[in-house]
Amino acid sequence: MLAGFFNYDNPVWRFIGKFFDIMILNLLWVVCSIPIVTMGASTTAVYYVTMKLVRDEDSSTIRSFFKSFKENFRQATIIWLILLAAGCLIGFDLYFFMRVRTDASMFRTVMLAVFLGFALIWLCITLFVFPLQAKFYNPVRRTIFNAFFMSIRHFLHSLGMIAVDVLMVALALFVPWLMAVMTLFGFPLFAFVNSCVFVSVFDKYIPKQEEEQRTDGDVWELPEDAGKTLAKKDE
């Protein structure tokens, strides 16, 4: 009985092992995101590993992280810079109409609604784009389009992930020990929770017969008819 309990394949130890992996990921993500410009590549690498953890795929956390970081560096960085510029622009516009222009005009109300809509779209795209970059191979433009398409098509999933992430942050702000946990696990904890949804969503876009025939990994290419099939990346 004790031998079975201390067996690494025991579900309890595998569960505990995943939290150690998330702690390691947090350290790697923080270090590799310090230049800010590289945050897209490090976030993509985190999702590459967390989706493996959700699937219970055995692999080295550190090796997998740097494999994805290196392979996706250029494209993930371009995507990140585009989203960063768009986010700053939307944030400035929202700040202007909320704090600078405070008159009760119809124009202000309409513009606030428009930019709040843009902010929601930006948030949904940002939520999906890096997991997509980690899982599938497509050009930058199509990856961003796919993130928009899938976040809208699976809007309830998008809202659910956003709600859970916001709830986790809110609880951490009011519960000191949860704040310590959040600091210890950081962003990869959110990525792991979100990956539970992404894995089930992405599986819908991988043809079963092709997936069964592939034995060398997990990257695919999305055709012109976006959203029907995706091309998985090699492991």
Side-chain angles (χ1 to χ4, degrees):
M1 183 175 181
L2 287 176
F5 178 77
F6 287 106
N7 185 347
Y8 180 74
D9 289 330
N10 185 294
V12 175
W13 286 109
R14 292 183 69 86
F15 180 78
I16 294 173
K18 288 181 181 181
F19 280 96
F20 279 107
D21 288 331
I22 293 173
M23 289 171 58
I24 295 172
L25 279 177
N26 186 36
L27 178 61
L28 293 174
W29 182 75
V30 170
V31 172
C32 293
S33 297
I34 288 177
I36 303 300
V37 175
T38 59
M39 187 173 288
S42 59
T43 300
T44 299
V46 165
Y47 272 111
Y48 180 78
V49 177
T50 55
M51 285 189 286
K52 283 179 171 290
L53 291 176
V54 170
R55 289 180 176 275
D56 286 322
E57 296 179 4
D58 291 325
S59 60
S60 169
T61 295
I62 297 176
R63 184 170 65 249
S64 295
F65 178 91
F66 283 110
K67 175 182 182 294
S68 178
F69 185 87
K70 179 181 178 181
E71 291 179 351
N72 294 289
F73 182 83
R74 180 178 178 276
Q75 189 158 313
T77 300
I78 293 173
I79 291 173
W80 162 244
L81 293 177
I82 292 173
L83 290 176
L84 181 62
C88 289
L89 181 61
I90 294 172
F92 173 80
D93 290 327
L94 283 175
Y95 176 82
F96 177 81
F97 286 105
M98 292 177 68
R99 297 293 185 180
V100 178
R101 182 161 181 172
T102 57
D103 59 289
S105 64
M106 179 61 70
F107 175 76
R108 175 178 177 270
T109 302
V110 170
M111 295 307 294
L112 267 178
V114 169
F115 286 114
L116 283 173
F118 283 149
L120 180 59
I121 293 173
W122 180 89
L123 186 59
C124 288
I125 291 175
T126 303
L127 184 67
F128 270 80
V129 75
F130 296 114
L132 274 171
Q133 177 63 32
K135 186 69 176 177
F136 301 103
Y137 176 77
N138 289 287
V140 170
R141 178 181 61 82
R142 190 172 295 174
T143 298
I144 295 175
F145 171 79
N146 289 341
F148 170 74
F149 167 82
M150 294 177 71
S151 66
I152 299 302
R153 182 173 183 179
H154 304 280
F155 192 61
L156 291 180
H157 291 85
S158 302
L159 287 182
M161 286 186 284
I162 292 172
V164 170
D165 291 347
V166 171
L167 179 61
M168 289 170 64
V169 173
L171 289 175
L173 292 176
F174 293 101
V175 182
W177 68 268
L178 276 180
M179 178 60 76
V181 171
M182 292 295 182
T183 303
L184 187 63
F185 295 109
F187 166 74
L189 179 61
F190 294 86
F192 178 77
V193 173
N194 293 342
S195 291
C196 296
V197 177
F198 287 128
V199 165
S200 64
V201 170
F202 291 167
D203 282 350
K204 302 178 188 299
Y205 296 86
I206 302 172
K208 294 299 181 183
Q209 64 275 18
E210 293 184 25
E211 186 174 18
E212 292 171 357
Q213 294 171 2
R214 287 290 294 269
T215 58
D216 61 341
D218 71 344
V219 175
W220 306 61
E221 185 179 9
L222 185 68
E224 292 299 327
D225 190 3
K228 289 190 176 179
T229 56
L230 290 163
K232 284 177 38 179
K233 287 184 177 174
D234 295 333
E235 293 288 345

